[in-house]
Every structure is written in C-alpha cells, then in structure tokens.
Amino acid sequence: MKLEMIPSNSHVADPRCLPRFVNQGDHAVLVFHGFTGSPHDLGYLGDRLVEKGYSLVVPRLPGHGTNRQDFLQTGWKQWLRRATDVYLDTCARFPRVSVGGLSMGGLLALLVASRFPVHDLFLAAPALLVQDGSIRWTPLLQFFRKTLPKKREHAYEEPYLQKLNEEYWSQFIIPKIADLYHLQKMARRALPSVKARCFTILARKDPDVASAQVEQLLQAHFSSQLKTLWLEASGHVVVNDCEKEAAADGILQWLGG
C-alpha cells in the first residue's frame, strides 16, 4: 500500500475522539466504537459505567476520528489487531474484563470473545447483517469505484463533527465498506466459538442494521444465554441517541447481574 503524507494541521484527532481510560476498580469494561465512529459516540455510556465504579477502556480504532487519508490507510486487519491488543493489555491489568461494542465494534467484540474467555459480552446494534444488501458486492465494486455519494446530506453545528462529515461521513468509501463486510463474515463464522453470555440492544428504527434478522441469528447461537433489549425510537447509534439512558441502564443491569 502506498502511504501518502498527511498534512500536519489535520492529522490530530479532536480531543473528544481520543481513547478513554479510567482505572478505578477490578472490573474493567472494554467498549469498541463503530465504523467511521470514535470514542465520542460512547461518551454517555462511558460516564454511566464510571459512575457505577467500573474501570473503563475505550480505544480509538486506527484511522478513525482523524481524516480520510488516515482512514484509507487502515482496514479490517488493523482494526481487529487493535481490538485484540487492547483486550490483552486490559486483561493484564484487571482480573475481570467485560467486552462490548457498537455496530462494527460489536463485530470486534464478538471476534475477541470467540478467541478469549470474556466474562460478559454486550452488543449495541451489532452490524452482523445490514439493511443494504449491496454490501456483498463491495469487494468487487472497490476495483471500479472508490466512493459513492450519500443520498442525504447532513450538516453539523459542531466544527469537529462537520470536519469528520466532510472527511468521510458524506460519502460511501467502498474499499472500507468492503473491510466492514469482511469483518461481518468473520464474526458470523465465529459465533459458534463464543461461550460468553450475551446482551444485545436493537432498535426497531435502525436504518443500517437489519435488527430482526440479527436477533434471529443471535438467538440461534446463544439461546438461553441471550437477552435482548428493543428500543422503539432510536436510530443506529443506540448508546448515544434519544433512548441512551435505557440502553445504559440495560448494560449496567446486565453487567451487575
């Protein structure tokens, strides 16, 4: 892969996108953010976990929260490597580690749990299956098109969010969606190896994840070891949307159970 120079004034992540680490107890909760997201999306959930006395680890996945060039120079291997390394480092520091993730972060959490003895697992809108079936063509499409415009444009009042929108939220970046698709397939294949009990949060109005099909898939594997919380009004980022309180309450109850 050819590496391009990144302008020095644009490569630094905004402070709200930086990793978060709070050491305050023996039980650590490791949470992974989603595709094109950052630790900012997990801010409210992180605050609630810290308030309840959990130690908190929220890494920033490579290429996220900075700019498009940085994003393009990473892929599924780097994202999974970071998730694995952070899990192993967290286990070296804390006697009990629970793992969760939002969207693509849920895929990473599942893959970690399929390889290591995770105590508790929670998945928020896990991207195991998505609404847009054309994702399966991205491994081929990436050789013909690098980007596709999004039908709906969105502007953000906060400058750092608008910067990220301009960098990579405003378009579909086909090679990176192909990386997401690869992680999807890996996570689905890894389900039989996951032994941890699982809590999942799904939203009926999620425009991205095929929530009903995801629940069926998880039920087929986890059976009695699965508990599901359905949210009626939230969109995709369930831990930072209009029902974020209910999502955090459910996760805290699961971890304390």
Side-chain angles (χ1 to χ4, degrees):
M1 179 187 297
K2 182 180 178 181
L3 297 180
E4 301 178 10
M5 292 297 293
I6 299 173
S8 59
N9 64 345
S10 65
H11 74 280
V12 178
D14 185 276
R16 285 157 288 198
C17 298
L18 292 177
R20 188 174 179 186
F21 176 71
V22 179
N23 183 352
Q24 61 175 10
D26 290 341
H27 187 172
V29 181
L30 168 60
V31 195
F32 302 114
H33 65 75
F35 181 74
T36 73
S38 76
H40 166 267
D41 298 323
L42 303 169
Y44 176 79
L45 174 60
D47 288 345
R48 291 288 303 277
L49 289 165
V50 170
E51 287 173 3
K52 288 296 183 180
Y54 293 100
S55 291
L56 179 69
V57 183
V58 183
R60 182 175 64 84
L61 298 176
H64 286 71
T66 52
N67 58 55
R68 178 178 298 218
Q69 290 181 355
D70 190 24
F71 185 55
L72 289 173
Q73 291 172 14
T74 66
W76 72 266
K77 292 181 180 179
Q78 290 84 5
W79 304 335
L80 182 55
R81 183 69 259 167
R82 173 64 60 81
T84 303
D85 283 347
V86 173
Y87 173 77
L88 293 173
D89 290 347
T90 304
C91 286
R93 293 182 173 183
F94 301 95
R96 179 168 181 171
V97 178
S98 298
V99 179
L102 167 67
S103 190
M104 185 184 79
L107 305 181
L108 296 173
L110 278 169
L111 288 167
V112 167
S114 73
R115 300 176 180 189
F116 304 100
V118 171
H119 285 93
D120 306 287
L121 179 66
F122 63 90
L123 312 172
L128 285 160
L129 296 165
V130 296
Q131 300 278 12
D132 189 351
S134 62
I135 191 174
R136 67 182 183 273
W137 301 111
T138 55
L140 176 63
L141 182 61
Q142 66 178 319
F143 296 108
F144 302 94
R145 293 288 300 269
K146 298 303 180 186
T147 63
L148 286 173
K150 289 188 175 180
K151 293 180 181 179
R152 293 176 297 175
E153 294 187 4
H154 190 88
Y156 295 86
E157 294 182 1
E158 297 181 73
Y160 88 102
L161 290 178
Q162 182 58 25
K163 175 181 180 293
L164 293 177
N165 182 50
E166 293 169 356
E167 291 289 344
Y168 49 66
W169 289 346
S170 58
Q171 292 182 321
F172 294 108
I173 303 178
I174 305 304
K176 300 302 101 185
I177 297 177
D179 282 320
L180 170 62
Y181 181 57
H182 188 88
L183 283 177
Q184 275 189 333
K185 294 191 295 181
M186 288 181 66
R188 292 198 295 264
R189 289 196 299 266
L191 278 172
S193 300
V194 179
K195 306 305 179 185
R197 64 189 191 119
C198 181
F199 176 62
T200 186
I201 303 171
L202 298 170
R204 299 194 190 280
K205 296 183 179 181
D206 193 328
D208 300 319
V209 168
S211 299
Q213 290 88 338
V214 166
E215 184 185 39
Q216 292 175 0
L217 180 64
L218 293 174
Q219 282 180 335
H221 168 65
F222 288 103
S223 185
S224 62
Q225 289 289 92
L226 175 71
K227 180 179 179 181
T228 303
L229 170 65
W230 279 96
L231 300 178
E232 302 297 329
S234 297
H236 179 55
V237 187
V238 292
V239 294
N240 197 30
D241 208 320
C242 58
E243 296 168 293
K244 62 185 180 182
E245 294 88 355
D249 288 344
I251 291 170
L252 288 168
Q253 184 178 4
W254 178 253
L255 294 175

